[in-house]
Amino acid sequence: MSSRVAKWDSVLRNLRPSAAIIGRSTNALSVRAPRKALRAAVDALVADEYVHSVSLARPRTRHNAGAQWVLQSGSQELGTSIWDRGVDGEGQTVVVSDSGLDMNNCLFADDGENPWGDLKACTDCTTSTFWYPDPQLSEYDYAYDYDNVITPYDSQYVPYCEWSSPECTSLTDDRKVVAYLAFVNSTHRDDDGHGSHCAGSAVGAASPSADGAEGMNVYQGMAPAAKLIVVDNSGPSGSIVDPPANLTWMFDWGMSLGARIHSASWGMDALFHLDGYDATMAAMDEHVFDNPESLIVIAASNEGLNGYGSVGPEASAKNVLTVGALETSGAQ
């Protein structure tokens, strides 16, 4: 491979104007060619029997980077009018229940060599000891059965969780993440990435002492000064989140640790919204009714293009704040 790469590099550099190999992996090359040499560079590569395909390398852009500007002033040029008034989440603690958290991410990592700081996972109530799934049900067994809609949980009674370990009853003094409930299993990570994405949009912020913090914080969340509590509901696959069947204690746990905001960007597809008001909606409404200082923020769904009926069941509860898309123009 090395000799062939050297040959290709020599051929490309001999073109007028010259082209060159600028990157390589095990089975791919990146080639840069001036416009006038592009055709010749492609012809030189495809003539070799070892080249299987040639495609245009398009620039990658960061997505979801414009939300902080759109929500505050409308554009990056107009600035951050909300933060400028001191409204940045200082003194608040937000719970994000999702697929976990990547603590190696610069927006969450603690100061020092250990990104986890003093944080240890709370495992008093996990799937294996507290949750009762029906092993006969798979991800798709109940997805499109309109005539016999069933639940992924069986009918066994799910009791209220009792918290006892220090990891479950107290907060750390870490910079950003102060508690972590590993509900589905005893590990704390984010194999899917969705939880880290959602937590970053809410409260992500790089440490001021981190190298390049100013550049990284162009992408910080809407409440960069707030603390974060994570409820890891990571499911058996990337598309599934498995919250406890009894949602009440999950909300109450965050409240017991001082959090008054619970963000949940998960829920059943809108096609499940068949039976009107259900137990999930009731659990959310009951919690907020009993704790009026609590705010549950729910994502509307990923089905906005479907128009009428595209709001998911959880997002249709009466006492929650449902958030949809901005539909702004361009990259924002």
Side-chain angles (χ1 to χ4, degrees):
M1 178 67 176
S2 296
S3 61
R4 187 163 297 277
V5 171
K7 172 188 172 183
W8 287 334
D9 195 39
S10 176
V11 170
L12 292 169
R13 289 182 183 279
N14 287 332
L15 296 175
R16 293 292 183 267
S18 65
I21 294 173
I22 58 174
R24 58 173 291 191
S25 61
T26 304
N27 56 4
L29 298 173
S30 297
V31 176
R32 181 176 60 202
R35 184 184 299 272
K36 292 181 179 180
L38 183 59
R39 170 66 68 177
V42 172
D43 289 345
L45 290 171
V46 299
D48 193 298
E49 62 178 329
Y50 286 90
V51 176
H52 289 198
S53 65
V54 177
S55 60
L56 181 65
R58 301 181 184 276
R60 273 74 169 180
T61 59
R62 295 176 176 88
H63 294 168
N64 198 38
Q68 60 175 266
W69 314 105
V70 175
L71 292 172
Q72 296 188 69
S73 63
S75 71
Q76 185 169 354
E77 290 73 22
L78 294 176
T80 54
S81 55
I82 295 178
W83 292 343
D84 294 344
R85 289 170 169 79
V87 183
D88 58 5
E90 181 71 34
Q92 294 293 321
T93 302
V94 178
V95 178
V96 174
S97 60
D98 210 280
S99 62
L101 190 74
D102 177 10
M103 281 298 299
N104 291 309
N105 188 296
C106 62
L107 299 183
F108 311 114
D110 202 50
D111 293 324
E113 296 182 0
N114 179 18
W116 281 95
D118 297 325
L119 188 68
K120 294 180 174 60
C122 164
T123 59
D124 285 359
C125 297
T126 61
T127 303
S128 59
T129 60
F130 191 66
W131 187 56
Y132 303 100
D134 186 337
Q136 301 301 314
L137 295 178
S138 68
E139 177 181 346
Y140 299 106
D141 282 340
Y142 56 93
Y144 300 104
D145 187 352
Y146 291 99
D147 296 325
N148 298 287
V149 178
I150 55 178
T151 171
Y153 311 106
D154 68 14
S155 59
Q156 296 187 53
Y157 172 64
V158 181
Y160 194 88
C161 183
E162 297 293 338
W163 311 100
S164 59
S165 66
E167 294 82 9
C168 300
T169 57
S170 60
L171 301 176
T172 72
D173 292 326
D174 290 352
R175 181 187 71 86
K176 177 61 65 175
V177 187
V178 292
Y180 193 107
L181 171 58
F183 170 64
V184 171
N185 52 52
S186 60
T187 61
H188 36 48
R189 61 176 188 268
D190 186 6
D191 292 333
D192 175 58
H194 188 265
S196 301
H197 158 75
C198 295
S201 295
V203 302
S207 171
S209 63
D211 293 337
E214 182 176 356
M216 291 184 286
N217 279 333
V218 172
Y219 307 104
Q220 66 187 2
M222 281 301 298
K227 300 288 188 177
L228 175 63
I229 293 175
V230 178
V231 177
D232 186 345
N233 290 327
S234 53
S237 69
S239 62
I240 295 294
V241 174
D242 289 328
N246 186 341
L247 293 176
T248 304
W249 64 257
M250 181 179 71
F251 298 133
D252 288 350
W253 178 68
M255 290 280 293
S256 72
L257 295 176
R260 297 296 180 264
I261 302 171
H262 189 115
S263 175
S265 293
W266 47 263
M268 289 183 284
D269 291 340
L271 64 89
F272 285 107
H273 202 173
L274 306 175
D275 297 326
Y277 194 76
D278 65 16
T280 300
M281 301 181 203
M284 294 180 173
D285 286 340
E286 181 181 2
H287 171 78
V288 177
F289 183 84
D290 292 339
N291 303 276
E293 72 277 24
S294 176
L295 174 65
I296 300 176
V297 184
I298 304 289
S301 77
N302 289 331
E303 301 165 84
L305 293 177
N306 294 341
Y308 180 79
S310 61
V311 177
E314 291 83 358
S316 299
K318 302 176 185 298
N319 295 339
V320 303
L321 174 63
T322 299
V323 179
L326 293 169
E327 290 193 353
T328 54
S329 60
Q332 296 175 328

